[in-house]
Amino acid sequence: MQPILSFNFKDRRGFYKGLQQDVSDRRLCCSSITHSGAVYSRATVAGSLQRRRRLLPLSSRLYIMHLIEEKYKPVAQMLLSGGTCPRCVLRLCCVGSPTLYRLPYKDLTAELQKFLVRPHGEAADDDNAPPSKKVRLEDTDGCDTESQSSMDIKDCGSPRTCNLCLGILQHLCSIEFAKKISHKVQSGDYEFKDFSFSVSFPAQLLVREHSASLQAQQEMKKQGGLLDKSDIIQLKEAYKWIIHPMISEELGVQVVSKSLFEVGVVFCHAETDEDCHFLASECRKFFKTNKNKQFVFTRMAIVKALDWITDDDFCIQFPWPPSSPKTTCEVVDIQCTHAPVFVAGRYNKYSRTLPQTPWIIDGERKMESSVEELITEQLIPVFKADRFNFSSSGREDVDVRTLGRGRPFAIELVNPHRVQLTVQDMKDLQQKINGSDKIKVRDLQIVTRDAMARMKEGEEEKTKCYCALIWTEKPISREGLEVLDNEKEMKIIQKTPLRVLHRRPLASRTRVIHNMKTEYVDEHHFHLYLKTQAGTYIKEFAHGDFGRTVPNIGLILETTADILELDVESVDVDWPPALDD
């Protein structure tokens, strides 16, 4: 067992500081810990770390005060007197240590207040002395345990709601709230190996933050110093510093910057919604109106307006300090979203009464089912997806069969709860789909989003092969069909067919018939095998579509012609990769 933290009990402050660093960085994920050569198990370490809530605030006092530079003392005093919470004070004082933000709220408040009343340059009497056991025991009866560090701080003398974070860093970053988020995630029954965390704060927080940064800059100028706005810790960053380790510990997985699984929390604060309204009159050009002629205050619009408005005009319209609200931010929603899973394959369609997608006109279903439904009704329950998007390499009419190796298709499964399927699982799914006598699928597999693009790449340059049963009004002979057999690389011009003009724009398109082969049936019927450029309308090539496709079979044979049956024999798209049966 490899030790990960060493210390000497003679140096109690070193122990406390090392323990603090381990708690903040490793989140109790250690397997062993040593001191004086001895090795202790995880259980032993866990028992010691349970007292960290009492140890850290006292032993970290010197550590805290060294990170809050003396030059920021006027800024901190101005913010606290204006109704700003201690954690927001740290942010505006450019304190970039995540550990400090995780300290219990009451202890952070007390230490910050002591720092502010202390004369400039004077150290606290007990900064260099280890905390006494008596003090630690007395603290156990106080309100600085982790379960009371945020939400229950009200019981220890409730602070007013922060005028910058609107209570987010006071009451919505506790272990209780982390458990609430964890419960929401676990109740969704998702499969994931890590997660990313996002938050959506009310837009008016931008206005209050801007006001505070302007005041902080003015205070620094009075002292002959400068405050770079980019050094201020953003609310979102500070919030994640606090809440990330808690949620990660509850879920037992790591939080990362980018993950296929995302947990998002949406906050709102109705009481301060009007904070942004003055910007609409001062910077009207940045704000759009809705149907009711009311301005829409998006975050991007507010950011642009705050960059455009002068500091003097802003301070007149939004004076410091902003009022401390009576209410705290509310959680509108806790969202869990998994990135889509893409399933691809090829399908054969054997029915002439089955559309590719649901055929519904004016709310009335025209066909009982569809290729899309026969496939997805098996996929959705297995992947537990919220919805899906179906796409394919072209499409066939309802009365056209698709034979050969089939037509490539792909399905985007949106927000799937189950994602870890084996090769055998996919084979079982394919077998269930193939229980229908109307369709069959092959090469069913999970693909990446990037691979999806290959299905559409160069689709116009791909070729397709068809077999059509042609009827002619005039009698024909075997010799009369040779004119079709001799045609190679024939170019035709097709206007958008009348039957699809309601859903496709009017245009004339050039298509190529690469070759044709005929098979005589009788004097009014023959089979036509043809290889064409993708996107060719085969039915219109047969009957001409009232002269909208030229040349056509009817013109070439000098008769009226039409298609009675049509089959797609191959779609020459080498995707997805073929799988072994």
Side-chain angles (χ1 to χ4, degrees):
M1 185 178 297
Q2 192 70 19
I4 52 85
L5 181 64
S6 298
F7 56 88
N8 188 336
F9 271 109
K10 294 180 181 179
D11 183 4
R12 299 179 65 179
R13 287 187 294 106
F15 163 64
Y16 299 143
K17 185 174 180 180
L19 184 57
Q20 170 192 0
Q21 191 64 35
D22 187 68
V23 171
S24 63
D25 294 343
R26 303 180 183 271
R27 296 304 301 169
L28 306 184
C29 292
C30 56
S31 58
S32 66
I33 189 169
T34 68
H35 70 85
S36 303
V39 178
Y40 289 82
S41 67
R42 181 196 298 262
T44 303
V45 175
S48 299
L49 295 183
Q50 285 178 356
R51 296 191 297 275
R52 70 185 184 277
R53 307 176 190 90
R54 301 189 297 275
L55 297 174
L56 285 178
L58 296 172
S59 61
S60 301
R61 184 173 300 162
L62 181 62
Y63 183 53
I64 294 172
M65 295 309 116
H66 281 179
L67 286 180
I68 301 179
E69 299 181 43
E70 286 284 344
K71 65 179 180 179
Y72 291 119
K73 182 177 285 188
V75 174
Q77 184 64 57
M78 179 268 297
L79 292 171
L80 275 181
S81 62
T84 303
C85 73
R87 287 177 176 137
C88 282
V89 171
L90 294 183
R91 295 195 302 109
L92 271 294
C93 291
C94 309
V95 176
S97 171
T99 304
L100 298 182
Y101 293 87
R102 296 169 187 155
L103 292 175
Y105 187 86
K106 181 190 175 185
D107 296 296
L108 180 59
T109 302
E111 296 303 323
L112 190 56
Q113 289 173 344
K114 291 178 181 178
F115 169 69
L116 293 177
V117 300
R118 185 188 314 156
H120 181 75
E122 181 178 324
D125 294 338
D126 56 353
D127 277 346
N128 297 317
S132 68
K133 184 181 296 184
K134 180 178 180 181
V135 173
R136 293 204 307 272
L137 289 175
E138 290 173 351
D139 284 342
T140 61
D141 298 327
C143 298
D144 47 356
T145 60
E146 187 172 11
S147 62
Q148 295 174 318
S149 63
S150 298
M151 294 289 284
D152 296 339
I153 191 66
K154 302 173 184 178
D155 299 333
C156 304
S158 176
R160 57 181 173 175
T161 301
C162 175
N163 61 0
L164 292 191
C165 69
L166 304 179
I168 291 174
L169 295 184
Q170 294 172 295
H171 312 307
L172 293 169
C173 54
S174 66
I175 190 64
E176 286 79 7
F177 188 60
K179 289 181 178 180
K180 181 179 179 180
I181 296 174
S182 176
H183 176 72
K184 174 70 174 181
V185 174
Q186 292 169 344
S187 64
D189 194 25
Y190 285 91
E191 289 182 346
F192 58 96
K193 60 181 180 180
D194 52 34
F195 73 98
S196 59
F197 184 76
S198 65
V199 289
S200 176
F201 293 138
Q204 58 265 32
L205 285 175
L206 295 172
V207 177
R208 291 173 172 256
E209 188 97 348
H210 187 69
S211 177
S213 66
L214 291 180
Q215 294 301 316
Q217 288 171 346
Q218 290 182 14
E219 286 294 327
M220 291 297 292
K221 287 180 181 178
K222 293 177 183 178
Q223 309 301 320
L226 294 175
L227 175 62
D228 191 340
K229 190 175 179 180
S230 62
D231 291 335
I232 295 175
I233 306 302
Q234 297 300 307
L235 173 60
K236 184 176 294 186
E237 186 174 10
Y239 184 74
K240 289 183 177 181
W241 283 345
I242 302 170
I243 203 72
H244 273 184
M246 297 181 185
I247 305 175
S248 181
E249 187 172 339
E250 289 295 322
L251 293 176
V253 295
Q254 187 178 11
V255 57
V256 295
S257 58
K258 290 185 179 180
S259 173
L260 296 176
F261 183 64
E262 180 178 314
V263 180
V265 182
V266 181
F267 297 93
C268 77
H269 194 255
E271 183 183 345
T272 57
D273 275 346
E274 295 185 357
D275 284 357
C276 307
H277 289 191
F278 76 94
L279 291 174
S281 58
E282 296 291 325
C283 320
R284 183 180 295 268
K285 62 181 180 180
F286 297 115
F287 298 94
K288 297 180 180 180
T289 56
N290 57 21
K291 294 180 180 179
N292 298 324
K293 304 300 181 181
Q294 295 179 341
F295 287 103
V296 178
F297 296 95
T298 63
R299 295 186 65 86
M300 183 57 66
I302 293 175
V303 169
K304 292 180 179 178
L306 292 176
D307 287 340
W308 185 83
I309 192 171
T310 65
D311 293 348
D312 291 339
D313 288 342
F314 178 87
C315 292
I316 293 173
Q317 296 292 335
F318 198 82
W320 175 265
S323 60
S324 295
K326 298 178 182 178
T327 59
T328 300
C329 259
E330 295 180 355
V331 177
V332 178
D333 193 15
I334 300 175
Q335 303 167 341
C336 301
T337 308
H338 199 288
V341 169
F342 299 91
V343 176
R346 303 178 79 104
Y347 74 80
N348 293 112
K349 181 169 83 78
Y350 303 117
S351 171
R352 296 194 186 277
T353 59
L354 184 70
Q356 186 191 71
T357 55
W359 192 355
I360 300 174
I361 301 177
D362 296 330
E364 182 180 352
R365 178 180 282 272
K366 298 298 182 180
M367 293 290 179
E368 181 181 351
S369 187
S370 65
V371 173
E372 174 188 295
E373 290 168 301
L374 290 175
I375 296 175
T376 56
E377 68 184 11
Q378 300 295 339
L379 294 181
I380 296 298
V382 172
F383 284 89
K384 300 179 181 178
D386 289 354
R387 52 189 173 85
F388 65 89
N389 297 309
F390 181 91
S391 59
S392 63
S393 181
R395 59 187 299 135
E396 68 284 318
D397 292 338
V398 62
D399 58 347
V400 176
R401 297 187 303 176
T402 299
L403 308 176
R405 293 186 60 240
R407 184 185 298 277
F409 71 91
I411 298 172
E412 178 187 11
L413 298 165
V414 180
N415 194 24
H417 293 227
R418 184 187 178 195
V419 295
Q420 300 171 6
L421 274 73
T422 65
V423 173
Q424 186 59 47
D425 291 333
M426 297 305 294
K427 287 182 178 181
D428 293 341
L429 258 176
Q430 179 172 299
Q431 188 174 358
K432 288 182 180 179
I433 296 170
N434 291 344
S436 169
D437 59 354
K438 295 182 178 181
I439 67 166
K440 290 288 187 293
V441 298
R442 68 170 64 203
D443 303 330
L444 195 68
Q445 57 194 281
I446 296 176
V447 298
T448 64
R449 182 187 291 272
D450 293 337
M452 286 274 293
R454 298 176 193 167
M455 185 177 68
K456 297 294 183 181
E457 283 179 0
E459 192 172 83
E460 292 296 312
E461 285 69 42
K462 298 297 182 180
T463 59
K464 296 182 181 181
C465 295
Y466 299 88
C467 174
L469 177 60
I470 307 293
W471 167 87
T472 60
E473 184 179 31
K474 289 171 50 178
I476 54 173
S477 62
R478 295 178 185 273
E479 293 74 17
L481 297 178
E482 292 180 358
V483 64
L484 296 178
D485 294 332
N486 295 329
E487 287 287 353
K488 306 293 183 184
E489 304 300 325
M490 180 173 64
K491 292 185 178 181
I492 64 174
I493 305 296
Q494 291 191 311
K495 287 186 179 180
T496 304
L498 294 174
R499 63 188 173 92
V500 300
L501 197 55
H502 66 284
R503 56 184 171 88
R504 294 196 176 179
L506 176 62
S508 294
R509 301 173 179 86
T510 300
R511 294 291 184 262
V512 178
I513 309 298
H514 295 291
N515 57 64
M516 291 182 281
K517 179 182 178 182
T518 59
E519 184 179 277
Y520 184 81
V521 177
D522 57 42
E523 60 182 9
H524 289 286
H525 301 88
F526 67 94
H527 283 115
L528 177 64
Y529 299 90
L530 62 167
K531 184 177 183 179
T532 73
Q533 179 183 350
T536 304
Y537 293 102
I538 305 302
K539 291 180 178 179
E540 283 66 27
F541 175 61
H543 57 65
D545 196 25
F546 301 101
R548 299 169 69 84
T549 294
V550 289
N552 56 67
I553 300 296
L555 284 177
I556 296 173
L557 297 180
E558 299 180 348
T559 183
T560 300
D562 204 353
I563 283 184
L564 300 182
E565 291 181 350
L566 179 63
D567 294 331
V568 180
E569 298 226 311
S570 71
V571 179
D572 302 326
V573 178
D574 189 19
W575 188 89
L579 302 178
D580 295 333
D581 293 335

